[in-house]
């Protein structure tokens, strides 16, 4: 996955100096994430198991007088400025700046006195790849503004605020997983999150000790209708829960599934419900295996999750299915799409010494289909958002 040359934290500091002169008061980093398993379960009050990536977004920042926020990003080499009127109500700042303005808006809405600030943003998290570049940006900016203003907001409450920025200010109806992963993950662990009460357990995920690697394959498939389809899946799930008389699909267990499906008269809703209910169980089963130190054995659960997303939730695309099939044929222990769907990334659990061969097999399969060459990267579970200096 290509990104600008040089260390991301150095690029943020250098960008700050070039734009504003002098040194930033500090730098705050927030990672991208992949979701090991548990897709489209977060907004159904269910379970997810993401981990943070070594790829990060860094904000170098200091305060400026008055209620004024100035933001430069290396990605567009563009500077935007906004003031109180722009954060008086959602939607007034658009484009990438909306994620920054959204955080200021959400903090103010929650009653915080947000300091004026100048920020310089650099990032290694690729955009539009389903690796949560937006949550990384929101969370790096949130961490910077909290520290610069001496504002109190415990880490466990930060994801909801960043999610509100995205849901209400930006207008994307996403769940709580991405911001929780970016803010609350720990190195060497996956984050077992109960999306109903937001309780977490840090599950050891020691790939090195198991001789395993997670290969992330950026499908480079264009996000086709991703926003509209995401919202449609959400509506189907809510309709399913309503028809079943439960608060959320999390309240249906796999033991109750057959009876629940029999009570639904719409075939499409049945498939959506089946995905969510079985996916929640796969997360629980994955956590149980990891707790028992059986990392290799989670492979079939990952693949079953993919099949469910492909056949029941219908959120995969040909590039994604090709990557999963090629990875499995080349010896991956399990493989699945990760993230919201309709493009984005695939993750494959592989023996470390097979990682290159699996990546090569996916690249060959892509060439045979005439798809754009995929980007591949092996990743380790990395720390969540933090202040660097
Ligand atoms: C996207 C959303 F932002 C998450 O909240 C989650 O629903 C995910 O898609 C699917 O699991 O990343």
């Amino acid at each position: 996955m290509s990104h600008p040359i040089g260390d991301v934290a150095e690029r943020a500091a250098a960008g700050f100096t070039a734009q504003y002169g002098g040194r930033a008061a500090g730098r705050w980093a927030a990672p991208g994430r992949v979701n090991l398993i548990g897709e489209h379960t977060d907004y159904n009050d269910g379970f997810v198991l993401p981990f943070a990536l070594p790829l990060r977004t860094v904000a170098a920042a200091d305060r400026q007088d008055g209620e004024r926020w100035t933001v430069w990003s290396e990605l567009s080499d563009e500077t935007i400025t906004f003031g109180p009127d722009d954060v008086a109500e959602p939607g007034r700042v658009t484009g990438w700046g909306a994620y920054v303005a959204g955080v200021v808006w959400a903090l103010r809405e929650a009653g915080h006195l947000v300091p004026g600030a100048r920020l310089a943003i650099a990032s290694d998290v690729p955009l539009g790849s389903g690796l949560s570049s937006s949550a990384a940006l929101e969370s790096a900016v949130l961490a910077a503004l909290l520290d610069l203003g001496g504002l109190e907001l415990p880490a466990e409450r930060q994801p909801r605020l960043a999610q509100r920025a995205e849901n209400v200010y930006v207008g994307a109806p996403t769940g709580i997983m991405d911001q929780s992963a970016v803010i609350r993950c720990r190195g060497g662990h996956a984050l077992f999150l109960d999306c109903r009460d937001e309780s977490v357990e840090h599950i050891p995920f020691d790939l090195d000790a198991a001789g395993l690697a997670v290969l992330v394959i950026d499908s480079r498939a264009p996000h086709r209708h991703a926003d509209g389809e995401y919202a449609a899946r959400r509506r189907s799930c809510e309709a399913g829960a309503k028809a079943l008389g439960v608060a959320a699909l999390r309240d249906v267990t796999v033991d109750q599934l057959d009876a629940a499906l029999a009570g639904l008269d719409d075939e499409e809703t049945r498939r959506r419900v089946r995905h969510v209910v079985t996916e929640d169980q796969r997360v629980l089963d994955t956590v149980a295996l990891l707790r028992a130190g059986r990392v290799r054995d989670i492979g079939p659960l990952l693949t079953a999750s993919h099949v469910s997303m492909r056949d029941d939730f219908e959120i995969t695309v040909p590039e994604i299915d090709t990557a999963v099939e090629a990875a499995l044929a080349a010896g991956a222990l399990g493989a699945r799409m990760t993230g919201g769907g309709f493009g984005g990334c695939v993750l494959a659990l592989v023996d470390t010494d097979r990682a290159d061969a699996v990546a090569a097999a996916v690249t060959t399969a892509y060439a045979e289909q005439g798809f754009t060459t995929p980007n591949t990267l092996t990743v380790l579970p990395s720390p969540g958002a933090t202040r660097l200096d």
Side-chain angles (χ1 to χ4, degrees), residues 33 35 38-43 132 174-178 230 339-340:
R33 65 97 189 90
N35 187 18
E39 225 62 83
H40 287 261
T41 46
D42 60 351
Y43 56 79
S132 288
T174 50
I176 192 66
M177 171 171 70
D178 298 347
Y230 185 95

Side-chain angles (χ1 to χ4, degrees), residues 121-171:
I121 310 287
S123 183
D124 285 342
V125 186
L127 298 184
S129 295
L131 298 178
S132 288
S133 57
S134 51
L137 175 57
E138 291 153 7
S139 304
V141 168
L142 177 59
L145 293 175
L146 289 173
D147 278 357
L148 288 173
L151 309 177
E152 294 290 331
L153 186 63
E156 62 273 17
R157 286 179 44 207
Q158 293 176 21
R160 278 281 172 220
L161 191 132
Q163 182 203 16
R164 211 165 148 65
E166 185 149 342
N167 286 176
V168 184
Y169 195 93
V170 180

Side-chain angles (χ1 to χ4, degrees), residues 55-370:
L55 306 173
R56 299 181 301 175
T57 294
V58 175
D62 75 358
R63 291 183 67 136
Q64 69 176 334
D65 290 340
E67 290 190 304
R68 201 100 209 114
W69 295 274
T70 308
V71 195
W72 169 83
S73 165
E74 69 170 3
L75 294 171
S76 58
D77 193 16
E78 183 191 4
T79 304
I80 60 161
T81 298
F82 56 90
D85 284 352
D86 303 302
V87 289
E89 55 184 65
R92 292 198 175 165
V93 178
T94 56
W96 62 266
Y99 297 94
V100 182
V103 170
V104 174
W105 169 82
L107 278 167
R108 287 162 63 98
E109 196 215 26
H112 297 284
L113 205 60
V114 186
R118 301 183 301 185
L119 303 104
I121 310 287
S123 183
D124 285 342
V125 186
L127 298 184
S129 295
L131 298 178
S132 288
S133 57
S134 51
L137 175 57
E138 291 153 7
S139 304
V141 168
L142 177 59
L145 293 175
L146 289 173
D147 278 357
L148 288 173
L151 309 177
E152 294 290 331
L153 186 63
E156 62 273 17
R157 286 179 44 207
Q158 293 176 21
R160 278 281 172 220
L161 191 132
Q163 182 203 16
R164 211 165 148 65
E166 185 149 342
N167 286 176
V168 184
Y169 195 93
V170 180
T174 50
I176 192 66
M177 171 171 70
D178 298 347
Q179 291 83 4
S180 300
V182 165
I183 292 169
R184 303 182 73 182
C185 275
R186 287 190 189 157
H189 293 73
L191 184 81
F192 177 34
L193 170 69
D194 179 335
C195 299
R196 172 161 277 168
D197 64 9
E198 289 177 62
S199 58
V200 301
E201 185 183 339
H202 298 278
I203 307 290
F205 187 41
D206 192 344
L207 290 162
D208 275 345
L212 296 172
V214 167
L215 180 68
V216 175
I217 302 154
D218 183 347
S219 72
R220 301 190 69 196
H223 274 245
R224 302 178 190 100
H225 315 299
D227 292 350
E229 294 287 354
Y230 185 95
R233 295 306 179 282
R234 211 176 157 146
R235 282 196 301 274
S236 284
C237 292
E238 283 158 7
K242 196 167 170 216
L244 293 169
V246 291
L249 292 182
R250 144 56 172 297
D251 296 311
V252 182
T253 66
V254 278
D255 293 339
Q256 299 163 338
L257 182 59
D258 285 346
L261 295 180
L264 294 170
D265 34 70
D266 175 52
E267 174 52 28
E268 184 179 281
T269 309
R270 269 203 290 273
R271 289 201 300 276
R272 307 299 188 243
V273 168
R274 188 165 54 207
H275 165 73
V276 173
V277 172
T278 58
E279 185 77 350
D280 269 334
Q281 186 61 46
R282 283 186 287 271
V283 176
L284 299 176
D285 292 346
T286 303
V287 168
L289 287 170
L290 292 182
R291 279 197 192 115
R294 294 171 55 192
V295 185
R296 291 185 80 79
D297 295 342
I298 71 172
L301 290 165
L302 304 183
T303 306
S305 166
H306 184 78
V307 169
S308 178
M309 288 189 285
R310 185 191 64 199
D311 298 347
D312 277 347
F313 221 58
E314 297 177 287
I315 53 173
T316 69
V317 294
E319 290 90 334
I320 289 281
D321 292 331
T322 298
V324 167
E325 280 155 29
L328 292 171
L333 302 169
R336 64 184 289 276
M337 185 185 74
T338 181
F342 304 97
C345 286
V346 162
L347 65 80
L349 184 69
V350 296
D351 284 303
T352 306
D353 57 8
R354 292 286 304 159
D356 288 346
V358 172
V362 174
T363 303
T364 302
Y366 258 53
E368 282 166 11
Q369 303 277 339

Side-chain angles (χ1 to χ4, degrees), residues 4-42:
I5 306 297
D7 175 75
V8 61
E10 285 170 16
R11 298 201 309 272
F16 185 93
T17 302
Q19 293 303 310
Y20 312 121
R23 274 170 65 93
R27 290 180 292 182
W28 292 262
R33 65 97 189 90
V34 284
N35 187 18
L36 186 58
I37 195 161
E39 225 62 83
H40 287 261
T41 46
D42 60 351

